[in-house]
Amino acid sequence: MRALRKLTFTEFKLFVRAPESVFFVPGLPLLLVVVFGVILNPAGTPEAMRSSLLNYFPAMVLVLTLAIMSILIMPSTLAGYREKGILRRLATTPTKPAMVLVAQLIVSGGMALATLLLVTLAGNLTFGWTMPKNVTGVVVAFVLGVLALLALGLFVASIARTGNAATGIGLFVFFPSLFLSGVAMPAESMPPGIARISEYTPLGAAMHGLRDSWTGAFPAASHLITLAVITVVFGMIAVKLFRWE
């Protein structure tokens, strides 16, 4: 446990020292809160439009940030470690390579939680946005969303031989996911068929679960089951395919 704590602390320091990590977490969520706060708060903004966007916005920021961390940053980091032989060298020490995976998951999960608190509190304290009305639902949807996206990120890391390859694969997964999940635009604005499909994608299920919880409902069972299945399936595949060198 002591070795894992030290490794986790080291991974956290590396995370916050990377410019891209600092920009996307916490920089991007805060920037989006400020931009949307300025747009939505003028007195002339129609209340119906403001309420609709505030229902969509917190979930969008959270899922977007989680996707960037899980599908782009983490796989590139792990594949880079493998490419540079770091994981192979760790295999000869008491710190086993598997601990790197655990440390990465802890750091990513911790930053995801920080993003949730940051978006919620910054929006509420600065612009008077409403707090989540179903806290239990938010926690359940958020935890399952984090697990599903981290499993997807581990899958990307498991099939990428280099850091650049991981970035390329991640981008190939990331951008279509944004437009097929209700993240790039609200599901209400999407064609009905695509909107229905979006509910069964990792980002889409997390979006729907968080949006439902923010308005007071509990996430639909179909969304939670989707996230659980994605976690198990991609997690098992990633464990099977992952190579240390």
Side-chain angles (χ1 to χ4, degrees):
M1 290 298 293
R2 184 179 179 183
L4 178 59
R5 286 197 300 270
K6 287 186 176 181
L7 187 57
T8 301
F9 183 64
T10 300
E11 290 294 329
F12 173 74
K13 290 193 295 184
L14 292 174
F15 184 94
V16 298
R17 287 175 182 173
E20 65 276 13
S21 299
V22 175
F23 172 77
F24 288 116
V25 186
L28 182 61
L30 277 178
L31 176 62
L32 291 174
V33 167
V34 171
V35 169
F36 275 78
V38 171
I39 292 173
L40 294 176
N41 274 287
T45 304
E47 186 59 32
M49 183 182 79
R50 188 174 186 274
S51 298
S52 176
L53 288 175
L54 285 179
N55 170 32
Y56 157 74
F57 172 71
M60 181 274 286
V61 176
L62 291 172
V63 174
L64 175 62
T65 306
L66 291 179
I68 291 172
M69 281 198 310
S70 303
I71 301 176
L72 297 179
I73 296 177
M74 185 184 69
S76 178
T77 300
L78 289 175
Y81 286 170
R82 184 197 297 121
E83 181 183 8
K84 296 171 184 176
I86 294 174
L87 298 181
R88 183 180 66 250
R89 291 195 293 271
L90 282 175
T92 64
T93 71
T95 304
K96 299 302 179 184
M99 287 189 181
V100 176
L101 290 181
V102 176
Q104 277 285 323
L105 293 176
I106 293 174
V107 170
S108 297
M111 296 309 296
L113 177 60
T115 301
L116 172 63
L117 297 175
L118 182 67
V119 170
T120 304
L121 295 177
N124 177 262
L125 297 176
T126 307
F127 298 106
W129 296 351
T130 58
M131 299 290 281
K133 295 180 180 179
N134 190 325
V135 176
T136 301
V138 168
V139 171
V140 172
F142 184 75
V143 170
L144 286 177
V146 169
L147 292 176
L149 290 172
L150 288 178
L152 184 59
L154 285 178
F155 170 73
V156 172
S158 71
I159 62 176
R161 298 181 63 86
T162 66
N164 288 337
T167 299
I169 296 171
L171 289 171
F172 182 78
V173 173
F174 177 75
F175 283 108
S177 296
L178 291 185
F179 292 96
L180 293 174
S181 61
V183 174
M185 65 181 71
E188 302 92 297
S189 304
M190 301 166 63
I194 297 179
R196 184 62 178 168
I197 292 172
S198 75
E199 298 186 40
Y200 300 97
T201 65
L203 275 65
M207 273 290 298
H208 282 280
L210 288 171
R211 289 189 64 180
D212 289 346
S213 302
W214 226 271
T215 58
F218 193 80
S222 59
H223 300 147
L224 299 182
I225 292 172
T226 296
L227 293 172
V229 170
I230 290 170
T231 300
V232 173
V233 172
F234 280 97
M236 292 178 63
I237 295 174
V239 169
K240 185 175 180 63
L241 296 180
F242 197 88
R243 297 293 180 268
W244 302 110
E245 55 182 304

